[in-house]
Amino acid sequence: MRMGLCVVALVILSHTGFCQSLSDVEQKIGAEINRYRVSHGLQPLLYDIKLSDIARGHSADMLTNQYFSHNSPTPSWRTVQDRLRGGWRFTASSAENLHKTEGCPPAALAEDAVKSWIASPPHHKNLANQRFNRTGIGLASQGGVCLFTQLFSYEPIMVEDIRLVPDGPGYQVTVTALVTDGPRQGSFFFQGKRLGDWQADEAGRFIFLASLPGPGMIEIGQLVANHDWSIELSVPVPLPPGPKAGI
């Protein structure tokens, strides 16, 4: 049985050798997709360890809880954006592909998944999207069933740290971020209101401090023209549960 769908996974594997083989399959999938992209005039994707951890987690979750969907039954893990934010990845441009096989020989797993995604228009649209520049791949397997999740993202601004200090009904916030692509200046917004500007240093790093009146959404935009910003990063306040919650 083979199914292609946009989704992710989470499962615990006990056989060390098979765990290692799944890791090899993840790497092979990434290499094959990059070969496909380059052969079609697209830039290769940067393999991102954190995105792979998030993808692997969802694959395991699907396997453990016996579902196959973008949406997890776990409330804090429900959507792709929930899972990314839980891993402190606040990208505004992302997508994911899912594949499921049963009884497929280990040596053919990578080829089976990649061929399925290329043949499926919605999956192909993700893996051939010229905007995406990062990917994470995570597999989980049990009893001959193997679930695949591939995450895609474009993250010209990456959050390195956020510190929130409660202040009455609101917060004092400090954001440290790194520009990886595009303009090195821009502005911060909260609930659509411009709070101030930022300018990255030579290393691409910048820090922004602000007082927020209460819960809402912080947005970071890169300046692309006079009074014109490209919003590439959105951070919910309070922060979502995750590995850095409580900082």
Side-chain angles (χ1 to χ4, degrees):
M1 177 180 65
R2 294 184 177 86
M3 289 182 283
L5 206 97
C6 297
V7 128
V8 255
L10 180 47
V11 170
I12 298 173
L13 305 172
S14 59
H15 194 292
T16 304
F18 195 34
C19 285
Q20 179 59 47
S21 69
L22 288 185
S23 177
D24 292 342
V25 173
E26 292 170 356
Q27 296 287 337
K28 187 176 181 181
I29 289 172
E32 289 189 6
I33 284 178
N34 274 341
R35 278 194 290 270
Y36 180 83
R37 284 175 63 92
V38 170
S39 70
H40 287 75
L42 300 169
Q43 291 295 316
L45 299 169
L46 177 65
Y47 187 82
D48 189 297
I49 294 175
K50 185 59 184 178
L51 290 180
S52 294
D53 288 343
I54 296 169
R56 200 173 296 118
H58 185 59
S59 293
D61 187 48
M62 289 191 295
L63 199 56
T64 298
N65 292 300
Q66 299 183 353
Y67 70 95
F68 189 69
S69 170
H70 282 295
N71 296 324
S72 168
T74 305
S76 63
W77 188 255
R78 190 172 304 281
T79 68
V80 177
Q81 284 300 319
D82 289 337
R83 294 187 285 275
L84 287 168
R85 289 170 178 171
W88 275 49
R89 300 302 287 269
F90 303 104
T91 172
S93 300
S94 60
E96 66 180 2
N97 283 348
L98 172 73
H99 182 66
K100 181 178 180 179
T101 69
E102 186 171 352
C104 183
L109 285 172
E111 181 181 6
D112 186 72
V114 174
K115 282 187 174 180
S116 173
W117 287 333
I118 290 174
S120 166
H123 296 83
H124 180 267
K125 181 179 179 180
N126 290 335
L127 69 86
N129 189 322
Q130 63 181 353
R131 180 172 173 81
F132 294 140
N133 60 359
R134 291 175 177 270
T135 190
I137 302 164
L139 277 63
S141 180
Q142 191 174 64
V145 175
C146 192
L147 292 172
F148 304 68
T149 297
Q150 181 168 20
L151 285 171
F152 304 87
S153 75
Y154 173 63
E155 300 176 64
I157 301 174
M158 299 186 70
V159 169
E160 294 186 323
D161 188 42
I162 302 178
R163 298 182 181 272
L164 287 178
V165 178
D167 183 14
Y171 304 89
Q172 296 291 324
V173 60
T174 304
V175 178
T176 304
L178 179 70
V179 179
T180 63
D181 187 35
R184 294 197 171 193
Q185 59 181 315
S187 297
F188 274 82
F189 302 84
F190 182 70
Q191 296 296 90
K193 180 180 178 181
R194 184 181 173 193
L195 296 182
D197 301 327
W198 58 267
Q199 176 78 49
D201 61 19
E202 292 184 359
R205 189 167 285 104
F206 64 91
I207 299 176
F208 183 79
L209 295 81
S211 296
L212 306 181
M217 188 72 72
I218 298 172
E219 294 181 317
I220 302 178
Q222 290 177 301
L223 185 65
V224 294
N226 188 31
H227 292 97
D228 185 12
W229 297 270
S230 174
I231 303 298
E232 297 294 352
L233 192 151
S234 299
V235 182
V237 176
L239 296 172
K244 292 192 177 182
I247 289 181

